[in-house]
Amino acid sequence: MTKQTFYVTTPIYYVTARPHLGSLYSTLLADVAARWNRLHGKQVFFLTGTDEHGQKVADAARQVGKAPQEFVDSFIPAYKHAWDAYELEYTEFIRTTDSYHVKAVQGWLQRLIDTGDVYKGAYTGWYCTPCETFVTEKEDNTHQAGQAPKHALCGRPTHAVSEQTYFFKLSAYQDKLLQFYADNPNFIVPKERANEVINFVKAGLHDFSLSRTTVSWGIPFPNDPTHVTYVWADALNNYITAIGYGDKNKLEMFKKWWPADVQILGKDIVRFHAIYWPAFLMASGLPLPKQLLVHGWIKVGDQKMSKSLGNVIDPLTLLEKYGAEPVRYYLMRKMAITHDSSFTIEDLEQTITADLANDLGNLLNRMVALAHKHAIIELPVQDVWFDKAMDLRDDCLNLLQDFSSYMDEYLYHRALARICEFIHKVNMFFHSQEPWKLVHTDRQKFIQILSAVAHSLKAIAILLWPVMPHKMEQLLGSIGVTLKLQNGSIEQLELGQWRQSFMLHKIDTLFQKHEPVVQEVIMQKEEIQKNDVVSNDNGYIAIDDFVKVDLRVGTIIKSEPVPGSTKMLVSQIDFGPLGMRQILSGIAQWYEPSQLIGKQGVFVVNLKPRMMLGLESQGMMLLAKSGDQLKMATVAEPVANGSRLA
């Protein structure tokens, strides 16, 4: 029997500043996972919160002249406001200063002391305060004798620590951890992160300090108040204390939700979650989480975005200009969970315009406006479909299968690339069938075309609901559909029965456009045509030279890396009446092949074919340079393949 509950967690965030785009990204990943499982009719528990103890927090509070509790309290409204504004529907927001959490952690420590997994000793070594972690000299390849090593993960210097402490017997769990990794190969994803963890454990684990005496801001150790709990031992336990661990009145609640289905975290804290946390759970006699989903960093330029580096992007600034759901979509569409991804405003605006305003929003508007123009409000159930509509239905079923597979593997960027491909197919179906020509000659086929588009939009909206819930509910409302989670929406789509009537309503524009890159190219061409003839002086060209360049719109059907090259992609482009062309482009560092499939772009099609890396390139992709980024030129709305820029 399929489990009907789903428990997802985010890392809990240090309250030394307001939330930034990186913390939003982690929390959004969890929200999308939670909503995806709600679509399957499951009960969901989605946990997030704040990490409020430790030396870093105490130091930050001291710098602004506040008591630690007052200091951490001041940031909670900012987190809750940002999460609510971005429609993150968490079940519980835990704070490690919550009394129930403090009590549960103290009880947990006492049990480990009683079993001998925690013992008292002394520690002398190095400590990275910003990361709240102990560092060994072997972790810094640049370390020189007599100097403090740098923390390999963040690159910042450490300082010496010497104090009495309680130790956790991590060394006793080395073999058990390695066996667990072997038995559960999908425990840590992606594989690269798993390999790093396994290699670290194989190199040898040592008992580590579980308490501090030089820090007072933390959970007091049981029966020894001169010690406070090491911040990571405190923080990691939030995943179980929030669902009832340590409370005898919540045993059933804890049993219902634990173990977690997926715990989401950034790659900089994987060691704590993949080594310390499983060892803590083993020592406590508790099952381990089913999966750790370790995402890459959002980079601004060449650096990781972080509060300590001072290069953060404020999510509320983006919210004010672009709205919550377009930003949600962009982060899921363009930030690949498997590796680091770069964030740029230019790419955000281009994605919103191309994917959402032009492809999806315009499709809905065109279909509904055409129906209303001809006094059609209701689309009745269709008993028989013509061949092209049946093909579109089959494409829709294939989309559902592919999309679900990607979503279940948390490859959201691939899932959204796949749905963009389908949206483009629906646009081309609508355009190629030319229903506006059939309304007076074949009204039945006219209605079938509109109905096929409506069925496609219904599937698109339901699948995109976890990413853009309110916008997709608005889209569904425009075609007279109400999303009812308890009815198993995904299961209904899987039946593939296009037997529904629709009531069509005009709504406000779903997505606002932002200036498309190709518009500048078109404006420049129009200006040349106005002047008719331009002198060749100063590098100008005559209009006769310019019109020789044949610029056409085409749709990328397939794209893949060129063997032996780290820069080149080879793409197959559909130019309609001109046929298929193969074009090589040096854009691998800016685009994954899956991001290109289904996109319409502008290409030079009358270049003399040339051989590149053993492959023939039969044209050129038009790109715009923005800083150190290259962006594919697009058109303002879908047009027929092979259309010429005029």
Side-chain angles (χ1 to χ4, degrees), residues 14 51-55 57 96-97 102 132 217-219 231 234:
Y14 276 127
D51 185 359
E52 303 183 12
H53 289 131
Q55 184 174 336
V57 174
T96 54
T97 53
V102 171
E132 296 283 14
W217 179 239
I219 296 178
V231 65
D234 166 4

Side-chain angles (χ1 to χ4, degrees), residues 225-244:
T226 60
H227 290 251
V228 299
T229 308
Y230 173 45
V231 65
W232 275 103
D234 166 4
L236 289 167
N237 272 282
N238 91 90
Y239 304 128
I240 55 176
T241 63
I243 54 171

Side-chain angles (χ1 to χ4, degrees), residues 333 394-404 406 411-425 594-595 597-598:
R333 171 81 165 90
D394 292 343
D395 285 340
C396 189
L397 288 171
N398 291 334
L399 162 71
L400 177 61
Q401 183 177 0
D402 294 344
F403 187 89
S404 296
Y406 288 135
L411 298 173
Y412 299 149
H413 62 297
R414 294 187 180 178
L416 295 188
R418 179 65 179 87
I419 208 167
C420 283
E421 179 185 349
F422 178 69
I423 291 170
H424 182 75
K425 286 184 178 179
S594 62
Q595 294 176 311
I597 295 172

Side-chain angles (χ1 to χ4, degrees), residues 515-534 540-543 546-547 551 622-625 633 645-646:
E515 207 65 26
V517 173
V518 76
Q519 187 169 6
E520 183 179 349
V521 177
I522 296 172
M523 289 174 64
Q524 290 173 351
K525 184 174 180 180
E526 288 176 347
E527 187 64 29
I528 292 173
Q529 290 173 331
K530 283 181 186 177
N531 295 332
D532 202 14
V533 177
V534 181
Y540 291 136
I541 63 171
I543 186 63
F546 182 78
V547 296
L551 298 176
L622 192 62
L623 301 158
K625 189 170 185 179
L645 268 69

Side-chain angles (χ1 to χ4, degrees), residues 172-183:
Y173 292 92
Q174 178 172 330
D175 292 341
K176 294 177 182 178
L177 286 169
L178 290 173
Q179 186 62 52
F180 178 79
Y181 302 146
D183 294 342

Side-chain angles (χ1 to χ4, degrees), residues 94-137:
I94 189 172
R95 301 178 58 184
T96 54
T97 53
D98 288 335
S99 59
Y100 74 86
H101 173 77
V102 171
K103 181 179 178 181
V105 169
Q106 289 176 323
W108 170 76
L109 286 168
Q110 187 59 58
R111 283 187 285 276
L112 294 189
I113 292 171
D114 293 343
T115 60
D117 281 292
V118 171
Y119 63 93
K120 201 170 186 178
Y123 174 81
T124 298
W126 306 99
Y127 193 74
C128 176
T129 298
C131 295
E132 296 283 14
T133 184
F134 297 94
V135 177
T136 62
E137 293 183 6

Side-chain angles (χ1 to χ4, degrees), residues 350 354 359 424 428 517-518 522 550-557 571-576 583 587 591 595-605 620-623 631-645:
Q350 183 180 352
D359 284 3
H424 182 75
M428 296 311 298
V517 173
V518 76
I522 296 172
D550 192 355
L551 298 176
R552 301 279 182 148
V553 176
T555 298
I556 299 175
I557 304 302
S571 302
Q572 308 299 323
I573 296 109
D574 181 2
F575 288 103
I583 294 178
I587 56 173
Y591 288 97
Q595 294 176 311
L596 297 174
I597 295 172
K599 278 190 170 295
Q600 280 199 315
V602 180
F603 303 84
V604 180
V605 296
M620 178 184 292
M621 178 184 291
L622 192 62
L623 301 158
K631 300 296 179 183
M632 177 182 174
T634 61
V635 287
E637 60 183 56
V639 298
N641 288 330
S643 296
R644 184 169 186 171
L645 268 69

